[in-house]
Each structure stands twice: as structure tokens, then as C-alpha cells.
């Protein structure tokens, strides 16, 4: 049986060393696994865009189907934990990096990576959450485990109009935190207020100095950009506040001094969704709609795309031509 897939190739003969193509594949070409899933929805994450465009070193082998998340229906299972017809999702665990990913009509995965979709949301909504929403939830979880509370002060979310940022703003607000959404895009202000940000500002409007230990302005932060902005936020974080580090859209460099850590007890928390332990991954996916509120799905969706039409969106996402979540209908 043939099916459509967005497959990424390494082409050493061309100037662009990595390129993606929409191809017809056979099931026996997929990477190994004991569960075959008919994919209903996937999404385009920043990491997918880097991999498929060749603008980032993401994939560990070639050729490989792009897509670091998926939701769909079990077509065949050699595992006793899953049966044909089960509605499931997978995110991280190396799909779209080391193993064939979700931007295809079928995916074969290890049963250890598979999570049954809870009754509180469906496959499409699972991919509106996607890896971006899971990463935001993981950041909030780590902050709260480390005793982050709303009364400690506002949470700054950088890169607020992106996938992770949008869902972080929305979830934090629903959980009772004051949220400051940081964005360089004035066109995104109304969108971020619609997600219930209390303030939407540029970095210049935050009032941060270059001092290694500035005035305490924030209870904590979820940072998607790294670089000097992250360093400044750490220096202006309140006593015992938590800063979750997720991305490096600005820079991978960190220029912070130790003063915020040793004089204010500030914690810098690393957030890695790809290799999150499965017990915690499963717990967080099952918290959506229960302990963790569901995001405002339709507000966060920037565009819904058919699998056959994905090609232009990889570069467009990197070039900031979209906001929120790009989901892909693979049916």
C-alpha cells in the first residue's frame, strides 16, 4: 500500500545539502516499530521547519519523514498495550529526527512512545496542542514543582506569538498567573491579548538594565529565544523565581552572572521535550482538560494545511510569517 509522506533527503551534490520532497512510499520503507498508525493530524513545529528546509541540523539520518508529533488511529499493533482502532498520539521520542515522523499518512513507532488520546480532546485538538503545547506544559510543570506561585509576580513569556509562547501565555493566564507577553511584532498585540496576556510589550518596554543583578521585576519566565534577553530576564527575576529555558531563536549564548542564583535563589530550568521520561510525558498529556486547562484551540490555530500543501510553510514559519500553531491534515 502506497501513501503520501513529506520526506527529507540529504543531497550532497547540490548547494542545498538537505531538501524535502512529497513522495509516495510503501509501508515497508518506514523505520522499525511495533505499532503502525494511520496519521490523521500532525503539525509544523520550529524544529520541523529547520529540518525540512535544511536551515538547521536536526535529523540524525536520511532519508526520513519529517514531523516531531502525530495523532491518529492504530492500524496494526504487535504490542499487547494497543489494539487496532485505538486513538493515539506520539510526540518527541526521536520521531522526525532519528525515526520517520508524523508528516505522512502512516507512521511506524515503538509502542513505548505511544499515548492513548484522553477523552478530554480529539486528534485534531491533540495536534493543536502538539509538541509546542506539551513543551509549554512541561515548562509550567517544572516551574510549579519548584514552587512557582502567582503571588510571586508576573511571568514573562518571550517569543510569545510562536507555538510554545502562545500556549504558554494562554495556559498561564488560565492558571491565575499575570502574564507579560514579549514580542517584537506589533501586529501580534491583539492576538496575544485575545490569549489573555495582561501586558504585551517589546523588550525595550520591560525596563530591564544591563546590570548583572537588576531590580526584581518578574516572578519568573518562559523563554523561547535565549541570548541577551534571557540573561537580562534572569537578572531581573524575583526571589526564588524560576526561568524555564526552551529555545534559542535569538542566540544559544548565555551571558548571565551567578548573582541572581546565589543572592536571590533564582532557578534556571532546562526544558527538553524530546527526551522527557514517558511517565511524565503521559501524565502531562492526560492533565490537559483536567488539572491543566485546555488552551483556546481555535484562537491558537494560525492555519490548517493539507499534507500535500506543506512545502512553503517551513521557510515561512522560520521567517515569522505565521503565529500560533500550524496543523496539518494528513488524511
Amino acid at each position: 500500500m502506497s501513501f503520501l509522506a513529506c520526506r527529507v533527503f540529504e543531497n550532497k551534490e547540490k548547494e542545498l545539502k538537505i531538501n524535502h520532497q512529497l513522495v509516495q512510499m510503501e509501508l515497508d520503507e518506514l523505520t522499525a516499530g511495533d505499532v503502525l498508525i494511520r496519521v490523521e493530524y500532525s503539525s509544523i513545529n520550529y524544529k520541523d521547519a529547520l529540518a525540512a528546509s535544511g536551515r538547521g541540523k536536526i535529523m540524525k539520518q536520511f532519508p526520513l519523514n519529517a514531523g516531531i508529533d502525530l495523532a491518529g488511529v492504530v492500524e496494526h499493533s504487535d504490542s499487547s498495550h494497543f489494539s487496532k482502532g485505538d486513538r493515539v498520539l506520539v510526540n518527541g521520542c526521536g520521531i522526525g529526527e532519528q525515526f520517520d515522523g508524523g508528516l505522512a499518512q502512516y507512521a511506524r513507532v515503538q509502542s513505548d512512545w505511544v499515548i492513548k488520546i484522553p477523552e478530554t480532546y480529539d486528534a485534531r485538538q491533540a495536534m493543536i496542542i502538539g509538541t509546542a503545547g506539551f513543551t509549554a506544559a512541561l515548562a509550567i510543570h517544572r516551574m510549579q514543582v519548584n514552587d512557582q506561585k502567582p503571588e510571586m509576580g508576573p511571568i514573562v513569556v518571550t517569543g510569545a506569538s510562536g507555538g510554545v509562547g502562545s500556549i504558554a501565555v494562554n495556559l498561564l493566564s488560565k492558571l491565575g498567573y499575570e502574564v507579560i507577553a514579549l514580542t517584537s511584532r506589533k501586529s501580534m498585540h491583539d492576538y496575544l491579548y485575545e490569549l489573555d496576556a495582561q501586558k504585551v510589550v517589546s523588550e525595550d518596554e520591560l525596563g530591564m538594565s544591563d546590570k548583572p543583578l537588576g531590580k526584581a521585576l518578574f516572578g519568573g519566565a518562559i523563554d523561547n529565544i535565549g541570548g541577551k534577553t534571557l540573561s537580562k530576564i534572569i537578572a531581573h527575576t524575583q526571589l526564588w523565581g524560576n526561568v524555564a529555558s526552551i529555545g534559542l531563536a535569538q542566540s544559544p549564548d548565555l551571558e548571565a552572572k551567578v548573582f541572581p542564583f546565589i543572592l536571590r535563589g533564582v532557578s534556571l530550568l532546562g526544558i527538553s521535550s524530546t527526551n522527557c521520561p514517558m511517565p511524565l510525558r503521559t501524565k502531562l498529556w492526560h492533565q490537559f482538560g483536567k488539572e491543566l486547562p485546555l488552551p483556546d484551540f481555535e484562537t491558537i490555530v494560525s492555519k490548517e494545511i493539507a499534507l500535500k500543501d506543506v512545502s512553503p510553510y517551513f521557510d515561512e514559519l522560520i521567517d515569522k510569517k505565521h503565529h500560533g500553531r500550524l496543523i496539518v491534515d494528513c488524511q
Side-chain angles (χ1 to χ4, degrees), residues 9-276:
F9 297 85
E10 185 176 34
N11 190 340
K12 297 179 181 179
E13 296 179 2
K14 293 185 177 180
E15 184 178 343
L16 182 63
K17 293 185 178 180
I18 298 174
N19 65 81
H20 71 273
Q21 299 175 25
L22 287 161
V23 301
Q24 289 290 325
M25 291 182 62
E26 300 295 326
L27 292 176
D28 60 8
E29 295 180 78
L30 289 169
T31 46
D34 55 349
V35 177
L36 178 66
I37 299 170
R38 175 169 52 81
V39 182
E40 294 181 334
Y41 289 93
S42 183
S43 70
I44 300 177
N45 298 277
Y46 193 76
K47 186 179 281 188
D48 300 320
L50 291 173
S53 66
R55 293 167 70 172
K57 295 181 179 179
I58 302 298
M59 291 188 169
K60 310 297 191 297
Q61 64 177 25
F62 299 94
L64 214 59
N65 294 345
I68 60 172
D69 50 29
L70 64 87
V73 179
V74 172
E75 191 75 12
H76 176 80
S77 176
D78 292 326
S79 166
S80 60
H81 298 291
F82 299 97
S83 303
K84 183 174 181 178
D86 285 346
R87 306 193 70 78
V88 296
L89 65 87
V90 183
N91 88 291
C93 302
I95 67 168
E97 298 182 61
Q98 295 173 274
F99 311 98
D100 283 320
L103 287 172
Q105 291 178 313
Y106 285 88
R108 184 182 289 118
V109 299
Q110 299 291 339
S111 56
D112 291 345
W113 311 337
V114 181
I115 297 171
K116 290 184 180 179
I117 297 176
E119 294 181 357
T120 49
Y121 51 88
D122 59 25
R124 180 178 178 274
Q125 292 169 331
M127 286 300 98
I128 296 174
I129 297 170
T131 296
F134 171 78
T135 304
L138 180 58
I140 294 168
H141 167 79
R142 291 212 65 194
M143 293 171 75
Q144 291 184 327
V145 165
N146 220 29
D147 219 24
Q148 190 75 42
K149 291 182 172 61
E151 54 265 30
M152 294 168 67
I155 305 294
V156 179
V157 178
T158 67
S161 64
V164 176
S166 293
I167 297 179
V169 167
N170 198 215
L171 293 183
L172 285 166
S173 180
K174 288 175 182 287
L175 289 168
Y177 291 89
E178 179 184 349
V179 182
I180 301 174
L182 182 65
T183 180
S184 59
R185 303 164 68 185
K186 289 185 178 180
S187 61
M188 291 292 102
H189 282 216
D190 288 346
Y191 165 70
L192 290 166
Y193 280 124
E194 194 174 354
L195 294 177
D196 294 327
Q198 279 69 51
K199 293 181 182 178
V200 182
V201 299
S202 66
E203 184 173 335
D204 291 341
E205 295 172 307
L206 278 178
M208 297 190 296
S209 70
D210 291 321
K211 295 179 180 179
L213 189 67
K215 181 181 178 181
L217 300 173
F218 319 120
I222 292 180
D223 175 66
N224 291 286
I225 63 176
K228 290 183 178 179
T229 302
L230 173 58
S231 302
K232 287 183 178 181
I233 287 172
I234 292 169
H236 290 83
T237 298
Q238 183 59 269
L239 285 167
W240 301 105
N242 298 282
V243 178
S245 175
I246 291 171
L248 41 69
Q250 182 184 103
S251 170
D253 296 331
L254 180 63
E255 302 172 7
K257 306 298 184 184
V258 299
F259 299 118
F261 308 127
I262 65 174
L263 297 179
R264 287 186 182 154
V266 173
S267 294
L268 180 60
L269 306 175
I271 308 301
S272 179
S273 64
T274 298
N275 47 27
C276 176

